[in-house]
Amino acid sequence: MAAHKAMGCGITKSNQLQLKKCDRGHLSVPASTAMRAALLIQRWYRQYVARLEMRRRCTWNIFQSIEYAGEQDQIKLYNFFAYLMDHFTPASSERNLISHIFRENDLLRDIEWERYFNYKSIEIPEDYCGPYLTFPLTASNVTELVEAFRNKQQLHSRYVLQLLGETWKLLRLLPNINHVSTCHTKEITICGDLHGHLEDLLLVFYKNGLPSMETPYVFNGDYVDRGKNSIEILLILFAFLLLYPNDVHLNRGNHEDHIVNLRYGFTKEVLGKYRLHGKKILKLLQKIFSWLPLATVIDQKVLIVHGGISDTFDLKIIAKMDRHRYVSSLKPPKSRRLLLKSKLSDQESDTEEAGAEDSGSSSTRGGGGIRRTCSMTHSSPSSGVDRSLLQRRSLQSHSSVDDELQERRRQAGLGVSPSHSDDQQSYCSDKDAELTEAVEADAEEWKQIVDLLWSDPMSMEGCVPNEVRGGGCYWGPDVTEEVLNRHSLQLLIRSHECKQEGYEFCHNRKVLTIFSASNYYEEGSNRGAYIRLGPDLVPHLIQYQATRTTRDLTLRQSVGRTERSALRALREQLFAHKSDLISAFQKYDPDNTGWISLKDWAVAMETVFHLALPWRVLRSQLVSTTKDGMLDYQSWFKELAIMEPNKELAHTNVLETLYKHHSNLETIFRVIDTDNSGFISFEEFRQTWKLLSSHLKMEISDEAIVDLAHSIDFNHDGSIDINEFMEAFRLVDSTHHDMATA
C-alpha cells in the first residue's frame, strides 16, 4: 500500500476490497493488450518529452539571441565613442564627456600607482564586524574570508585595496600563458564563467574542495557582471591566488574589461557597495584586468582560453605580447598608434595648407591637430573625409587588417607592396619601417586578443566574423584541427557560452565548452559544471544546480518557469519596438486594414529584430487571437500586457527611444558620471541624450529632453539620480508573477 501511495495511486479501502476480489477471481490482462498499452504510453511520453524539449530550445534561443544582441549593441556604442574621439577636436564638449574611458593608466609610473592606491590612511571603524586580513595571507585568513562572504558580510575597503594591490604586484610577474603539469596524485579542476554567481563558486568548493596545493584550480575568465556578487568572487579568487600562486591560475575573459563593465553591472555593483572608495577600487581593478594571463596550457597538450581561436591563432605571438597594454579588448593599445597618428596629422596639415592656398579656404583645427569632421547633429563624416584614416577598425572587420595596414602605409607615404614606386622607396626611411612594423604588430596582437576572448565555435568549416556578438570570429572543426596540430595539442577547453547542461563537446570532441554559472538566464534555465582533469587528460565533468528550489522542480515545471521568463523578456522587446513593428506590418497591409497574415507577421518580426528566432513556433505563445489565419496587429499590441510607466511624463517618441535603448542610455550615464556619485546635472542629462540621438542617427528635441528631465527631478534640486531614473522608466510585464509550476 505504501508503495502504491508513493506512485500516486491514492488507493482507498474500497479499492483494496476490489483488488482482493480480482485476486480471488484470478482476473488478468492479456499480454497483447498490455503490450499495446505500454507502447501507447511510451509513444505518448516520447511526444510529451519532445514537445517539452522544443519549448526548452525556443526558450534558450530567446535568451541567447537577446543576450548576444546586447553585446553587439555594446560594441556598436563603443565604436561610436571611438569615432567621436577620432573625429572631434579635443576641446569639444562631446569628446570631453567620454574621453576619460580612453585614457591609458600606464601614464603613471608604478610608484605613483602605489601612492595613489595607498590604503594605510583608511581607518577601520570600531563597529566593523567583517573579516580581518593580515599580509602575507594565511590559509585561515582566506577561509574566514570565504565564510564571511557566505554569510553576506562585506570586506572593508582598506583590506580590499590592500588585497588588490598585492594581486597586481603578483600578476605582473606572471607570464601571458600559464603552464601547468598534472601528476599521479592530484587532478586539476577547471571552472568556466561565474558572472557574479557566488553561490555557484561556493558550491564548487563544497563539492570539490577549496583551492590548495593538493587541489589546484584553473578559472577561465568572466568572473564579473550580470550577477550580484562579482566583487566577492574576485576577492576570493585573488586571495587564493596570493596564497597558492603555483596552484591557482586565472585566465582573462571578455568581461574583465572596464568598458564592458559599464553596461553589465559590475561598475554599478562596486560603487554601490563601496561608495567612498569605489572609484579607486575600480581603477585598480582596471589595471589588474589588463595583467590577467590570457591562456593556460596543461601538460603541453590541453589549451584553456576563454573564448576560442581563429585561423590565425598563434601561441608564440600571445606568449610574447605586452598583455597589459590591452586595457580593453575593444580597442587597440594607444601608445604606438600615437606615433602613427602624429605622423598622419603632420601630413594632413601639409595637405590642408596646400589646399588652402589653392582654394582660398581654411579649416578649423583643434589644439591636438585633429580636424573636426562632424557635429553631434551629423551622424556620419562628410563625403570628403577619408574614414579609413581616422576611424578605428570595427571588431567585426575580422579580415580587414591587411587592407587597413596597406591604407595606413599609403596615407603615411610608406610602401604598399613590394612593387611600389621608386619615389615612395626614396621617401621611406628606417623610422618609417619601424613605424610600419609597430603598426603591423599592434594590429596582429589586437586581433589575437579579440579572437581569444570573443570567438565561438561553429559546426561549419572555415573562419568567419562573429557578427552575432559583434566581436571575434566563428571557427569551424577544420580550424580546430589545424591549430591543435600546429601546436601539438589534443584538446581545447573554452567557456564564454552558456550551455543548458553546463558543458558541451563539439568538433569531434576536441573542443569542450565549460560554463559554471547555473541559473544564468533564469532559475532552472541551465546547470553549471566544472571539469576535473587527471594525468590521462580525460575530462571528467561534474554538474550541479546552485538553487535548491530549482533542483526540486519537475522537467515540466522547470521548462514552464524559464519559458515564462523568456517570453516576458521578448514581450518587452516587442513593446519597445512598437513603432518599428507597425511600420513593418504596414508594408504587408497596403490598404491599411489593420490585418496581416500570420506568415507576413513572422517575416516582419524577423525583419525588425534580426534575432533568428522561430517566430512561427513562437506564434502560439505571443499571439492569442487570430481569425482565418489573419492577425489584427493593432489589437495585438494591447494584448502584450506591458505596462508603460509614467506615460504622461514626457513625449511619446522619447519614451519609446528610452525603452528601446535602455541599456545604451544607462551605459552613457555611467560614462558621463565621472565622479561616480550616481547623480548627473541637467546639462549632463541633455548631453547624454544628444550622444544617444547621434549614435542612433535620429533627432530628439531639446524641449522633449527638458520635459523628461523635469519629470524625474522629484525634489527639484537640478540633478538626476541615475538609478531612480532608470528604474522609473523600466518596462514591467503586468502578467509577471512568481510561480513555481507551469
Side-chain angles (χ1 to χ4, degrees):
M1 180 176 172
H4 284 300
K5 284 186 176 179
M7 293 292 289
C9 294
I11 297 176
T12 63
K13 289 183 178 180
S14 60
N15 297 138
Q16 294 177 43
L17 292 173
Q18 189 68 30
L19 284 172
K20 288 179 180 179
K21 291 179 181 178
C22 292
D23 291 340
R24 287 195 298 268
H26 301 288
L27 295 177
S28 63
V29 178
S32 60
T33 304
M35 181 61 71
R36 284 197 299 270
L39 290 174
L40 286 172
I41 293 172
Q42 186 182 63
R43 184 184 303 169
W44 171 86
Y45 182 74
R46 286 177 176 174
Q47 292 174 349
Y48 170 76
V49 172
R51 286 194 298 270
L52 283 179
E53 181 61 25
M54 182 179 292
R55 289 170 57 189
R56 187 183 180 189
R57 289 183 181 180
C58 284
T59 298
W60 193 260
N61 286 340
I62 293 170
F63 279 132
Q64 202 166 63
S65 296
I66 293 175
E67 178 191 6
Y68 290 172
E71 290 184 347
Q72 192 177 96
D73 278 349
Q74 164 73 14
I75 291 177
K76 287 179 180 177
L77 181 62
Y78 179 80
N79 286 341
F80 168 70
F81 287 162
Y83 177 81
L84 292 184
M85 291 295 295
D86 282 345
H87 286 73
F88 280 63
T89 63
S92 67
S93 59
E94 297 89 351
R95 195 175 189 272
N96 287 336
L97 286 171
I98 61 172
S99 60
H100 63 280
I101 68 172
F102 290 88
R103 291 173 189 151
E104 299 286 346
N105 283 337
D106 288 332
L107 295 177
L108 291 175
R109 293 191 299 272
D110 290 345
I111 190 171
E112 293 174 322
W113 272 97
E114 293 179 10
R115 190 182 305 118
Y116 178 76
F117 295 114
N118 181 25
Y119 59 87
K120 296 179 181 178
S121 60
I122 303 175
E123 296 184 359
I124 300 177
E126 294 182 0
D127 60 349
Y128 172 68
C129 56
Y132 288 81
L133 299 181
T134 58
F135 292 84
L137 290 173
T138 64
S140 60
N141 277 154
V142 183
T143 302
E144 289 171 6
L145 181 66
V146 173
E147 286 303 311
F149 289 156
R150 188 195 306 275
N151 296 321
K152 303 187 184 306
Q153 294 179 341
Q154 184 169 307
L155 184 65
H156 196 274
S157 56
R158 174 191 173 103
Y159 294 129
V160 173
L161 286 170
Q162 189 174 5
L163 178 58
L164 295 181
E166 294 299 318
T167 302
W168 169 54
K169 293 176 185 177
L170 173 60
L171 288 174
R172 292 164 57 204
L173 304 177
L174 299 182
N176 294 347
I177 303 174
N178 292 312
H179 287 274
V180 185
S181 298
T182 60
C183 68
H184 295 290
T185 58
K186 62 183 178 183
E187 295 178 316
I188 295 176
T189 302
I190 304 158
C191 294
D193 296 34
L194 288 165
H195 278 302
H197 288 214
L198 179 61
E199 63 276 12
D200 287 300
L201 179 63
L202 297 179
L203 182 57
V204 171
F205 287 165
Y206 173 78
K207 294 169 70 71
N208 194 66
L210 293 174
S212 65
M213 288 185 288
E214 293 73 31
T215 313
Y217 277 82
V218 176
F219 295 93
N220 199 24
D222 275 15
Y223 317 110
V224 302
D225 283 333
R226 304 188 188 279
K228 297 179 180 179
N229 299 108
S230 297
I231 186 65
E232 287 82 1
I233 287 177
L234 283 179
L235 295 174
I236 288 174
L237 296 184
F238 291 160
F240 277 116
L241 175 66
L242 292 172
L243 188 61
Y244 304 111
N246 296 320
D247 302 287
V248 175
H249 310 279
L250 307 180
N251 286 348
R252 184 178 183 177
N254 66 306
H255 277 262
E256 278 67 67
D257 187 313
H258 69 285
I259 294 174
V260 177
N261 300 153
L262 287 168
R263 183 187 187 100
Y264 290 104
F266 182 54
T267 300
K268 181 180 177 181
E269 177 193 331
V270 173
L271 294 175
K273 292 178 179 178
Y274 295 97
R275 294 184 179 276
L276 188 59
H277 300 285
K279 186 175 180 179
K280 283 188 176 182
I281 292 172
L282 286 172
K283 211 166 184 61
L284 186 50
L285 281 170
Q286 180 178 335
K287 196 170 184 67
I288 286 174
F289 288 165
S290 71
W291 278 102
L292 285 171
L294 301 172
T296 299
V297 176
I298 299 177
D299 289 346
Q300 304 298 322
K301 291 296 181 182
V302 178
L303 172 65
I304 306 173
V305 296
H306 177 73
I309 58 177
S310 69
D311 52 357
T312 60
F313 182 83
D314 193 335
L315 280 176
K316 292 181 180 178
I317 296 176
I318 293 170
K320 66 183 181 181
M321 68 173 61
D322 295 328
R323 66 180 186 273
H324 65 279
R325 296 174 61 233
Y326 298 85
V327 179
S328 171
S329 65
L330 299 182
K331 69 186 182 76
K334 194 174 183 180
S335 54
R336 289 190 291 197
R337 291 174 70 249
L338 285 175
L339 296 174
L340 176 63
K341 177 170 275 190
S342 176
K343 181 178 181 63
L344 297 181
S345 296
D346 291 342
Q347 291 184 355
E348 277 188 72
S349 178
D350 295 340
T351 303
E352 287 179 0
E353 288 174 5
E357 291 174 1
D358 292 338
S359 62
S361 61
S362 62
S363 60
T364 303
R365 302 184 62 84
I370 305 173
R371 277 186 304 150
R372 178 168 182 161
T373 59
C374 69
S375 67
M376 288 302 296
T377 57
H378 212 73
S379 58
S380 61
S382 60
S383 58
V385 177
D386 189 345
R387 295 184 61 169
S388 64
L389 177 65
L390 296 172
Q391 194 173 20
R392 298 173 191 265
R393 179 171 67 91
S394 166
L395 292 177
Q396 296 185 27
S397 302
H398 187 81
S399 60
S400 63
V401 177
D402 291 338
D403 293 338
E404 180 186 2
L405 290 174
Q406 294 284 3
E407 180 64 14
R408 288 188 175 186
R409 290 193 194 99
R410 187 184 68 78
Q411 293 289 343
L414 307 178
V416 297
S417 68
S419 60
H420 56 282
S421 66
D422 294 337
D423 292 339
Q424 288 176 319
Q425 287 182 356
S426 62
Y427 180 79
C428 290
S429 63
D430 292 339
K431 187 174 182 179
D432 293 332
E434 291 176 6
L435 184 59
T436 303
E437 185 177 348
V439 173
E440 289 175 338
D442 278 351
E444 182 57 37
E445 285 184 4
W446 184 42
K447 181 176 179 298
Q448 295 281 335
I449 290 277
V450 172
D451 290 341
L452 184 145
L453 297 180
W454 284 87
S455 296
D456 296 307
M458 65 177 180
S459 57
M460 297 180 296
E461 293 194 344
C463 189
V464 297
N466 191 335
E467 295 182 353
V468 175
R469 287 189 189 268
C473 71
Y474 280 117
W475 86 92
D478 58 325
V479 175
T480 294
E481 188 76 22
E482 191 277 328
V483 170
L484 292 183
N485 289 340
R486 176 155 43 91
H487 293 91
S488 300
L489 299 166
Q490 67 184 46
L491 178 66
L492 168 63
I493 297 176
R494 44 92 61 178
S495 302
H496 194 45
E497 284 184 288
C498 181
K499 298 298 180 182
Q500 289 183 327
E501 297 301 324
Y503 73 93
E504 183 178 271
F505 281 99
C506 65
H507 295 183
N508 301 316
R509 297 181 69 85
K510 292 187 177 181
V511 174
L512 172 57
T513 298
I514 189 72
F515 197 86
S516 299
S518 65
N519 308 307
Y520 178 63
Y521 293 121
E522 174 65 42
E523 285 195 8
S525 64
N526 66 284
R527 296 180 181 182
Y530 60 90
I531 302 168
R532 297 182 69 175
L533 201 67
D536 59 0
L537 301 182
V538 175
H540 300 276
L541 293 144
I542 296 90
Q543 299 170 286
Y544 54 85
Q545 197 96 32
T547 308
R548 180 175 297 276
T549 55
T550 58
R551 294 199 296 268
D552 296 336
L553 294 178
T554 65
L555 177 62
R556 179 171 178 267
Q557 290 172 333
S558 177
V559 171
R561 187 174 194 167
T562 55
E563 184 181 57
R564 284 193 300 274
S565 177
L567 291 172
R568 183 168 64 250
L570 185 56
R571 281 196 295 268
E572 291 173 3
Q573 292 287 320
L574 300 182
F575 188 85
H577 290 77
K578 182 178 178 180
S579 295
D580 295 334
L581 284 171
I582 289 177
S583 298
F585 293 157
Q586 287 175 342
K587 292 181 180 178
Y588 297 97
D589 180 27
D591 298 328
N592 293 321
T593 64
W595 293 80
I596 58 171
S597 69
L598 293 175
K599 178 182 177 181
D600 292 338
W601 172 85
V603 174
M605 295 289 282
E606 182 57 30
T607 301
V608 171
F609 289 103
H610 305 289
L611 293 177
L613 291 175
W615 293 106
R616 293 189 183 185
V617 176
L618 293 170
R619 179 187 60 79
S620 60
Q621 300 286 346
L622 297 173
V623 179
S624 59
T625 305
T626 60
K627 183 178 180 182
D628 299 328
M630 301 293 289
L631 170 67
D632 181 351
Y633 55 86
Q634 293 289 357
S635 299
W636 175 63
F637 281 109
K638 298 177 183 178
E639 297 174 3
L640 288 177
I642 297 291
M643 292 190 300
E644 188 175 345
N646 301 309
K647 188 173 182 178
E648 299 81 13
L649 291 180
H651 297 246
T652 304
N653 65 326
V654 175
L655 280 175
E656 187 168 330
T657 301
L658 195 158
Y659 295 144
K660 188 187 304 183
H661 303 284
H662 192 274
S663 296
N664 278 345
L665 188 62
E666 185 169 7
T667 300
I668 299 175
F669 276 144
R670 302 291 173 196
V671 170
I672 289 180
D673 182 26
T674 54
D675 61 356
N676 299 310
S677 65
F679 293 87
I680 58 175
S681 67
F682 273 18
E683 176 57 25
E684 289 172 329
F685 183 81
R686 189 186 72 82
Q687 293 281 14
T688 297
W689 276 93
K690 288 298 182 184
L691 278 174
L692 182 64
S693 62
S694 180
H695 171 52
L696 300 176
K697 301 179 182 179
M698 62 179 294
E699 289 292 334
I700 300 178
S701 68
D702 284 341
E703 179 188 2
I705 297 173
V706 170
D707 287 349
L708 190 61
H710 284 293
S711 70
I712 202 66
D713 183 22
F714 299 118
N715 58 1
H716 304 290
D717 65 348
S719 64
I720 296 172
D721 184 316
I722 298 173
N723 294 328
E724 286 186 6
F725 177 82
M726 300 312 298
E727 286 301 319
F729 289 92
R730 193 180 299 277
L731 283 173
V732 179
D733 188 343
S734 62
T735 62
H736 173 55
H737 50 92
D738 294 327
M739 295 174 61
T741 60

